[in-house]
Amino acid sequence: MLPAYVPNNAAVLLGGGRPIDAGRTLEDARVLGDGKTWRGAAAGTLAGITLALALNGIAPAVVTATGLVLPTFPPAAIVALPLGAILGDTLASFLKRRTGRSRGAAFPGLDQLDFLLGALALTALAATAWFTATFTPGVLAVVLVLTPLFHVTANVVAYRAGLKSEPW
Ligand code: CTP
Ligand code: MG
């Protein structure tokens, strides 16, 4: 899941600049808001792709050293996991603006799952055979429970470190 986790963090660290919605509004609210930028989306996606390639690179050595059975990422999943995470996060901002929440407002549940559902959905579409072989029901259950916990922890750490203006 790491290629789906790192895009949000990379966007926080490297994002900013021109907003994706270019300031446009829809029914008196921003389409996405200033928190969704081209640079954040591009840096996040590239960071996830880079990490997936690195994990593919070290997988044989890790398997030899530990005996663990590790998946490697096919090209479609290398792109779909991070791009899906960014699209999920962007879609969540669209929904937050449509429900009257301003930039940075919390949307419990959606904030913790948007990127995960985006990553899983796009990967299921783009790399279907790999997705079904890798994300067995047990793996999916663990991922759906642990990801929100990781997300909450990472955001509290980023908030305390002064990288994010809200702890969610
Ligand atoms: N970020 C970015 N581009 C993205 C996603 C995030 O530049 N595509 C940066 C922005 O600086 C953003 C920060 O990362 O403020 C935190 O991301 P997030 O919590 O997703 O955005 P919010 O500012 O909270 O806005 P929203 O309410 O739309 O989630
Ligand atoms: Mg936010």
Side-chain angles (χ1 to χ4, degrees), residues 86-160:
I86 289 290
L87 289 176
D89 177 63
T90 307
L91 180 63
S93 289
F94 180 81
L95 295 175
K96 285 162 90 171
R97 301 301 91 84
R98 304 287 75 70
T99 53
R101 291 170 170 83
S102 51
R103 175 187 179 182
F107 197 148
L110 190 66
D111 280 328
Q112 288 72 39
L113 288 172
D114 52 18
F115 68 99
L116 175 63
L117 297 182
L120 292 176
L122 193 63
T123 306
L125 283 173
T128 309
W130 182 81
F131 180 88
T132 23
T134 308
F135 292 96
T136 55
V139 169
L140 263 186
V142 171
V143 162
L144 285 169
V145 172
L146 288 187
T147 302
L149 297 178
F150 289 150
H151 187 257
V152 168
T153 309
N155 283 333
V156 169
V157 170
Y159 172 71
R160 297 232 174 109

Side-chain angles (χ1 to χ4, degrees), residues 8 11-12 15-16 20 32 34-41 86 89-90 93 96-97 102-105 111 164 166 168:
N8 281 298
V12 171
I20 295 171
L32 299 173
D34 284 332
K36 303 295 114 136
T37 69
W38 287 110
R39 200 168 78 210
I86 289 290
D89 177 63
T90 307
S93 289
K96 285 162 90 171
R97 301 301 91 84
S102 51
R103 175 187 179 182
D111 280 328
K164 255 185 132 272
E166 304 89 17
W168 48 77

